[in-house]
Amino acid sequence: MSDHLMNTYMRQPVTFTKGEGVWLWDTAGEKYLDALAGVAVNGLGHAHPKLVAAISEQAAKLIHVSNIYHIAEQDALADKLCAISGMDKVFFCNSGCEANEASIKLARLYGHNKGIGNPEIIVMDKSFHGRTMATLSATGNRKVQAGFEPLVSGFIRVPYDDVDAVKQVASSNPNVVAILVEPVQGEGGINIPKDSSAYLETLRQICDAHGWLLMVDEVQTGIGRTGTWFAYQHTAIVPDVMSLAKGLGSGVPIGACLAKGKAAEVFVYGKHGSTFGGNPLACAASLATLAAIEDEGLCAHAEKMGDLIRLGFQSAFADTPAVKVVRNAGLMIGIELDRPCGELVKMALEAKLLINVTADKVVRLLPPLVIKQDEAHELVKRLSEVIKAYLKQ
Ligand SMILES: *Cc1c(COP(=O)(O)O)cnc(C)c1O
């Protein structure tokens, strides 16, 4: 291990050398079940043959040019993303925080264009939007912000899943230009609105009534994760702006900010840019990812496997009151305990299983979309044993 890395991560004592599907192997040749997928990135699992071929072929032709020129792979990816989302235009970048930076800049510019000189954006408690200055300021978690003050101004925070709080802001604040919301909160603890369709649909109505933009952060929920291409597709709404990253490139860094209608016309020449964003390699990886998800029916599969895993845990923990609730939106699965449980990550690792704990008490699972039924059963078996052993201590 190198002493030359900044201490930004508490790393687990393991190094992986190769993977296949939901499986990973470490330097000692030990095999692990990956129920985290690089935090919702490796939707196709590891070393998917079609992804490997697409990346290899593209690398041999052209990795990068510049957005100063037309990029055929970027044109094709923009067309594909708009076709599956109903959005009109795309800006490509390299990560989730950059996609949200683009959304925030777009909303502010939209406000200025309407004559609002001090535009504000409504954001949620327990949200996570990234680690850049604007996105950590939008994030509803003090731990992410502490030490980085002064924060970027122009965000108004309300509780998640509380439309009355949004209506209250609407009645008293003429500077609001947009709402930024995760359809399901990932880092915040797999928080699913009580009635997810009604929540987004009511936010849509409020935005329409006030001329605000509805901006969904689908960095974690997007690209098949919840059982549809995008989580808002479980509802009747289409957003004005959507940010994507994580699963979009299967590990080759790429992010995207999509916009529709009036929002799609806000960015004009010179207003935003990115050196790497949407380069030929990243776009080829993303096109191959989307094609594989479509060809293999992975959206519907994710929904089926997610429900199967939730039911498996619900029955495993039926007589375990310390497990308060198991909830899921497709393959975003949360197991909420009645106590902090960060130690479970290490215990699971010893049981050759990769998981994550977020919001102190919530075990978060984000397995590859390609997880098979027997692998889903194996995940439930390994993890319920680990959690039960932990609770006995
Ligand atoms: C991970 C995440 C981000 C940040 O993405 P990065 O690629 O790490 O910048 C933003 N929003 C949500 C909802 C996320 O889950």
PDB file of all heavy atoms in Angstrom, residues 287-304:
ATOM      1  N   LEU A 287     -22.567   3.483 -25.073  1.00  0.00           N
ATOM      2  CA  LEU A 287     -23.441   2.883 -26.098  1.00  0.00           C
ATOM      3  C   LEU A 287     -23.506   1.376 -25.924  1.00  0.00           C
ATOM      4  O   LEU A 287     -24.583   0.771 -26.034  1.00  0.00           O
ATOM      5  CB  LEU A 287     -22.908   3.227 -27.502  1.00  0.00           C
ATOM      6  CG  LEU A 287     -23.209   4.647 -27.993  1.00  0.00           C
ATOM      7  CD1 LEU A 287     -22.358   4.989 -29.215  1.00  0.00           C
ATOM      8  CD2 LEU A 287     -24.705   4.809 -28.325  1.00  0.00           C
ATOM      9  N   ALA A 288     -22.360   0.747 -25.629  1.00  0.00           N
ATOM     10  CA  ALA A 288     -22.341  -0.711 -25.434  1.00  0.00           C
ATOM     11  C   ALA A 288     -23.123  -1.083 -24.180  1.00  0.00           C
ATOM     12  O   ALA A 288     -23.822  -2.111 -24.147  1.00  0.00           O
ATOM     13  CB  ALA A 288     -20.899  -1.201 -25.333  1.00  0.00           C
ATOM     14  N   THR A 289     -23.030  -0.259 -23.148  1.00  0.00           N
ATOM     15  CA  THR A 289     -23.772  -0.501 -21.908  1.00  0.00           C
ATOM     16  C   THR A 289     -25.278  -0.479 -22.175  1.00  0.00           C
ATOM     17  O   THR A 289     -26.014  -1.397 -21.781  1.00  0.00           O
ATOM     18  CB  THR A 289     -23.421   0.571 -20.855  1.00  0.00           C
ATOM     19  OG1 THR A 289     -22.023   0.500 -20.600  1.00  0.00           O
ATOM     20  CG2 THR A 289     -24.192   0.360 -19.560  1.00  0.00           C
ATOM     21  N   LEU A 290     -25.727   0.571 -22.853  1.00  0.00           N
ATOM     22  CA  LEU A 290     -27.163   0.702 -23.120  1.00  0.00           C
ATOM     23  C   LEU A 290     -27.651  -0.430 -24.016  1.00  0.00           C
ATOM     24  O   LEU A 290     -28.742  -0.982 -23.802  1.00  0.00           O
ATOM     25  CB  LEU A 290     -27.463   2.070 -23.753  1.00  0.00           C
ATOM     26  CG  LEU A 290     -27.065   3.299 -22.918  1.00  0.00           C
ATOM     27  CD1 LEU A 290     -27.383   4.585 -23.666  1.00  0.00           C
ATOM     28  CD2 LEU A 290     -27.759   3.302 -21.553  1.00  0.00           C
ATOM     29  N   ALA A 291     -26.835  -0.808 -25.010  1.00  0.00           N
ATOM     30  CA  ALA A 291     -27.239  -1.892 -25.916  1.00  0.00           C
ATOM     31  C   ALA A 291     -27.369  -3.205 -25.163  1.00  0.00           C
ATOM     32  O   ALA A 291     -28.328  -3.964 -25.362  1.00  0.00           O
ATOM     33  CB  ALA A 291     -26.218  -2.023 -27.056  1.00  0.00           C
ATOM     34  N   ALA A 292     -26.432  -3.474 -24.264  1.00  0.00           N
ATOM     35  CA  ALA A 292     -26.484  -4.737 -23.514  1.00  0.00           C
ATOM     36  C   ALA A 292     -27.685  -4.754 -22.569  1.00  0.00           C
ATOM     37  O   ALA A 292     -28.361  -5.777 -22.420  1.00  0.00           O
ATOM     38  CB  ALA A 292     -25.178  -4.942 -22.737  1.00  0.00           C
ATOM     39  N   ILE A 293     -27.964  -3.619 -21.934  1.00  0.00           N
ATOM     40  CA  ILE A 293     -29.119  -3.551 -21.024  1.00  0.00           C
ATOM     41  C   ILE A 293     -30.400  -3.849 -21.804  1.00  0.00           C
ATOM     42  O   ILE A 293     -31.261  -4.609 -21.366  1.00  0.00           O
ATOM     43  CB  ILE A 293     -29.187  -2.171 -20.329  1.00  0.00           C
ATOM     44  CG1 ILE A 293     -28.033  -2.031 -19.329  1.00  0.00           C
ATOM     45  CG2 ILE A 293     -30.531  -1.971 -19.624  1.00  0.00           C
ATOM     46  CD1 ILE A 293     -27.911  -0.667 -18.666  1.00  0.00           C
ATOM     47  N   GLU A 294     -30.477  -3.280 -22.997  1.00  0.00           N
ATOM     48  CA  GLU A 294     -31.664  -3.498 -23.837  1.00  0.00           C
ATOM     49  C   GLU A 294     -31.736  -4.946 -24.317  1.00  0.00           C
ATOM     50  O   GLU A 294     -32.745  -5.621 -24.126  1.00  0.00           O
ATOM     51  CB  GLU A 294     -31.578  -2.546 -25.035  1.00  0.00           C
ATOM     52  CG  GLU A 294     -32.905  -2.172 -25.627  1.00  0.00           C
ATOM     53  CD  GLU A 294     -32.761  -0.866 -26.413  1.00  0.00           C
ATOM     54  OE1 GLU A 294     -31.978  -0.834 -27.381  1.00  0.00           O
ATOM     55  OE2 GLU A 294     -33.413   0.112 -26.033  1.00  0.00           O
ATOM     56  N   ASP A 295     -30.635  -5.441 -24.909  1.00  0.00           N
ATOM     57  CA  ASP A 295     -30.627  -6.792 -25.483  1.00  0.00           C
ATOM     58  C   ASP A 295     -30.929  -7.851 -24.438  1.00  0.00           C
ATOM     59  O   ASP A 295     -31.568  -8.865 -24.715  1.00  0.00           O
ATOM     60  CB  ASP A 295     -29.264  -7.123 -26.109  1.00  0.00           C
ATOM     61  CG  ASP A 295     -28.971  -6.245 -27.318  1.00  0.00           C
ATOM     62  OD1 ASP A 295     -29.914  -5.576 -27.796  1.00  0.00           O
ATOM     63  OD2 ASP A 295     -27.800  -6.207 -27.750  1.00  0.00           O
ATOM     64  N   GLU A 296     -30.430  -7.644 -23.215  1.00  0.00           N
ATOM     65  CA  GLU A 296     -30.578  -8.670 -22.181  1.00  0.00           C
ATOM     66  C   GLU A 296     -31.774  -8.407 -21.262  1.00  0.00           C
ATOM     67  O   GLU A 296     -31.956  -9.111 -20.265  1.00  0.00           O
ATOM     68  CB  GLU A 296     -29.269  -8.765 -21.371  1.00  0.00           C
ATOM     69  CG  GLU A 296     -28.103  -9.226 -22.245  1.00  0.00           C
ATOM     70  CD  GLU A 296     -26.737  -9.101 -21.572  1.00  0.00           C
ATOM     71  OE1 GLU A 296     -26.659  -9.220 -20.332  1.00  0.00           O
ATOM     72  OE2 GLU A 296     -25.747  -8.879 -22.292  1.00  0.00           O
ATOM     73  N   GLY A 297     -32.565  -7.402 -21.595  1.00  0.00           N
ATOM     74  CA  GLY A 297     -33.765  -7.108 -20.795  1.00  0.00           C
ATOM     75  C   GLY A 297     -33.448  -6.818 -19.331  1.00  0.00           C
ATOM     76  O   GLY A 297     -34.172  -7.250 -18.429  1.00  0.00           O
ATOM     77  N   LEU A 298     -32.369  -6.058 -19.092  1.00  0.00           N
ATOM     78  CA  LEU A 298     -31.879  -5.928 -17.716  1.00  0.00           C
ATOM     79  C   LEU A 298     -32.714  -4.997 -16.840  1.00  0.00           C
ATOM     80  O   LEU A 298     -32.646  -5.098 -15.620  1.00  0.00           O
ATOM     81  CB  LEU A 298     -30.404  -5.489 -17.720  1.00  0.00           C
ATOM     82  CG  LEU A 298     -29.429  -6.532 -18.272  1.00  0.00           C
ATOM     83  CD1 LEU A 298     -27.993  -5.991 -18.221  1.00  0.00           C
ATOM     84  CD2 LEU A 298     -29.511  -7.852 -17.515  1.00  0.00           C
ATOM     85  N   CYS A 299     -33.518  -4.103 -17.451  1.00  0.00           N
ATOM     86  CA  CYS A 299     -34.357  -3.251 -16.596  1.00  0.00           C
ATOM     87  C   CYS A 299     -35.388  -4.126 -15.880  1.00  0.00           C
ATOM     88  O   CYS A 299     -35.479  -4.118 -14.645  1.00  0.00           O
ATOM     89  CB  CYS A 299     -35.043  -2.165 -17.420  1.00  0.00           C
ATOM     90  SG  CYS A 299     -33.909  -0.897 -18.042  1.00  0.00           S
ATOM     91  N   ALA A 300     -36.133  -4.894 -16.660  1.00  0.00           N
ATOM     92  CA  ALA A 300     -37.155  -5.770 -16.058  1.00  0.00           C
ATOM     93  C   ALA A 300     -36.501  -6.778 -15.118  1.00  0.00           C
ATOM     94  O   ALA A 300     -37.035  -7.104 -14.048  1.00  0.00           O
ATOM     95  CB  ALA A 300     -37.930  -6.495 -17.159  1.00  0.00           C
ATOM     96  N   HIS A 301     -35.330  -7.268 -15.507  1.00  0.00           N
ATOM     97  CA  HIS A 301     -34.616  -8.241 -14.684  1.00  0.00           C
ATOM     98  C   HIS A 301     -34.223  -7.630 -13.332  1.00  0.00           C
ATOM     99  O   HIS A 301     -34.333  -8.286 -12.285  1.00  0.00           O
ATOM    100  CB  HIS A 301     -33.365  -8.715 -15.440  1.00  0.00           C
ATOM    101  CG  HIS A 301     -32.558  -9.735 -14.705  1.00  0.00           C
ATOM    102  ND1 HIS A 301     -32.978 -11.035 -14.538  1.00  0.00           N
ATOM    103  CD2 HIS A 301     -31.363  -9.638 -14.063  1.00  0.00           C
ATOM    104  CE1 HIS A 301     -32.059 -11.691 -13.827  1.00  0.00           C
ATOM    105  NE2 HIS A 301     -31.074 -10.868 -13.524  1.00  0.00           N
ATOM    106  N   ALA A 302     -33.801  -6.359 -13.366  1.00  0.00           N
ATOM    107  CA  ALA A 302     -33.396  -5.685 -12.119  1.00  0.00           C
ATOM    108  C   ALA A 302     -34.579  -5.592 -11.161  1.00  0.00           C
ATOM    109  O   ALA A 302     -34.439  -5.791  -9.948  1.00  0.00           O
ATOM    110  CB  ALA A 302     -32.850  -4.286 -12.429  1.00  0.00           C
ATOM    111  N   GLU A 303     -35.744  -5.300 -11.712  1.00  0.00           N
ATOM    112  CA  GLU A 303     -36.937  -5.185 -10.875  1.00  0.00           C
ATOM    113  C   GLU A 303     -37.253  -6.543 -10.232  1.00  0.00           C
ATOM    114  O   GLU A 303     -37.511  -6.640  -9.025  1.00  0.00           O
ATOM    115  CB  GLU A 303     -38.120  -4.718 -11.738  1.00  0.00           C
ATOM    116  CG  GLU A 303     -39.430  -4.644 -10.975  1.00  0.00           C
ATOM    117  CD  GLU A 303     -40.297  -3.484 -11.452  1.00  0.00           C
ATOM    118  OE1 GLU A 303     -40.529  -3.391 -12.673  1.00  0.00           O
ATOM    119  OE2 GLU A 303     -40.722  -2.691 -10.602  1.00  0.00           O
ATOM    120  N   LYS A 304     -37.156  -7.598 -11.042  1.00  0.00           N
ATOM    121  CA  LYS A 304     -37.478  -8.944 -10.561  1.00  0.00           C
ATOM    122  C   LYS A 304     -36.484  -9.391  -9.480  1.00  0.00           C
ATOM    123  O   LYS A 304     -36.874  -9.871  -8.409  1.00  0.00           O
ATOM    124  CB  LYS A 304     -37.403  -9.898 -11.768  1.00  0.00           C
ATOM    125  CG  LYS A 304     -38.343 -11.073 -11.693  1.00  0.00           C
ATOM    126  CD  LYS A 304     -38.362 -11.797 -13.038  1.00  0.00           C
ATOM    127  CE  LYS A 304     -38.007 -13.253 -12.804  1.00  0.00           C
ATOM    128  NZ  LYS A 304     -37.678 -13.966 -14.035  1.00  0.00           N
TER     129      LYS A 304
END
